[in-house]
Amino acid sequence: SFDVLIRYLEYRGYPVRYVQNVTDIDDDTLRRARETGDNWLALGNRWTTHFMRDMRDLNVRAPDLYPRATEAIPLMFSVIRTLIDRGLAYAANGSVYYHVAGNPDFGKVSGLPRDEWLPVANERGNDPHDPAKRDPLDFVLWQAWKPGEPSWDSPWGPGRPGWHIECSTMAGAFLGEVIDIHGGGADLLFPHHECETAQICGVTGNDHFARYWVHTAMVRYEGEKMSKSLGNLVWARDLLGQHTPDAVRVLV
């Protein structure tokens, strides 16, 4: 979808700078590494290579920049410090959390009703039972080290970054305080893009992060969303053995 958009914008004469980040350290990667017994970094590298190869074979052009979260960790520290200094985040037990109740604009990006915030966040990775949180909806900016996990030194102790801070930091660093178009799957609208906006606007003071949000629909298969959790995946590699890249692109 975004390759088509970029090609169209360039056709209309717009210069495009396209950044696509790689969240190479997150809860899902570590969970999968534990399940398979793989090294988390080797696992991430293997699937990133797999993805990039499939994109190439589908005639999807590579982005201008492909930053990795693990390469941007020092940049995240200054963002987190600023949020703490402004009363939008707090440190507890070696972790740092964003305090959602401190931001009256939270929810503006998604438009999701307030009573749906916590249930939807819980479905998408939030831990409402973390005893260090002031509120179940608060989300982690820096996760204190846990046995068996990789860690980096930080002002709050050893640990690793939260998913939301990874993406907003990389986007801000490589595209600026306000970006023209921010996109992703529709399932990222809340809480991910909501949290990204809360973080970066808390630092910049701007009232928005992206001028346009573009959310792509999910690919469906036999009446259900295609997803890793359901296991109903059809691999691009298999389709390309039987169909041309353009045919596959038109299909999805």
Side-chain angles (χ1 to χ4, degrees):
S1 296
F2 294 103
D3 187 53
V4 172
L5 174 60
I6 289 164
R7 290 172 186 266
Y8 178 71
L9 290 171
E10 290 180 340
Y11 163 74
R12 293 297 303 269
Y14 293 99
V16 178
R17 176 177 171 86
Y18 180 38
V19 177
Q20 186 179 90
N21 68 50
V22 182
T23 49
D24 55 349
I25 179 68
D26 64 6
D27 291 342
D28 288 341
T29 300
L30 296 177
R31 185 183 307 112
R32 185 63 177 164
R34 286 192 295 269
E35 292 170 356
T36 61
D38 283 328
N39 172 273
W40 66 272
L41 185 58
L43 177 78
N45 285 338
R46 184 167 70 250
W47 282 105
T48 299
T49 301
H50 180 106
F51 171 75
M52 293 171 71
R53 184 179 66 238
D54 283 352
M55 291 298 101
R56 178 198 66 199
D57 292 346
L58 285 165
N59 195 26
V60 174
R61 297 185 307 177
D64 298 306
L65 290 172
Y66 220 153
R68 290 172 172 261
T70 52
E71 298 170 349
I73 289 175
L75 297 175
M76 301 173 201
F77 295 157
S78 62
V79 176
I80 295 171
R81 281 196 199 96
T82 301
L83 291 172
I84 292 174
D85 291 344
R86 295 182 178 175
L88 290 169
Y90 57 93
N93 297 346
S95 295
V96 181
Y97 302 89
Y98 186 95
H99 188 41
V100 170
N103 179 1
D105 289 330
F106 194 84
K108 185 171 69 173
V109 172
S110 64
L112 195 69
R114 184 180 293 268
D115 61 356
E116 295 183 27
W117 292 356
L118 189 58
V120 173
N122 292 346
E123 289 174 4
R124 297 174 178 171
N126 179 56
D127 178 6
H129 306 298
D130 185 341
K133 288 185 178 183
R134 294 178 184 172
D135 185 278
L137 194 63
D138 291 350
F139 56 90
V140 68
L141 303 175
W142 185 257
Q143 175 69 60
W145 177 78
K146 296 178 182 177
E149 291 189 355
S151 68
W152 289 261
D153 291 331
S154 83
W156 310 280
R160 59 184 175 88
W163 171 36
H164 307 308
I165 198 71
E166 293 177 345
C167 295
S168 61
T169 299
M170 287 187 279
F174 297 111
L175 292 172
E177 292 185 357
V178 177
I179 63 180
D180 290 317
I181 301 172
H182 193 332
D187 56 343
L188 296 181
L189 177 55
F190 191 94
H192 187 51
H193 290 159
E194 194 73 66
C195 295
E196 274 195 88
T197 300
Q199 292 166 155
I200 206 158
C201 289
V203 172
T204 65
N206 295 319
D207 62 0
H208 63 287
F209 177 30
R211 294 184 175 93
Y212 296 95
W213 290 94
V214 179
H215 292 99
T216 58
M218 302 293 99
V219 177
R220 299 182 68 81
Y221 179 65
E222 295 183 343
E224 292 188 284
K225 183 183 81 168
M226 190 183 293
S227 68
K228 295 189 294 291
S229 58
L230 292 175
N232 60 346
L233 300 178
V234 176
W235 298 99
R237 175 69 38 199
D238 295 336
L239 291 176
L240 288 170
Q242 306 170 52
H243 308 283
T244 65
D246 284 348
V248 175
R249 291 177 61 140
V250 170
L251 173 68
V252 298

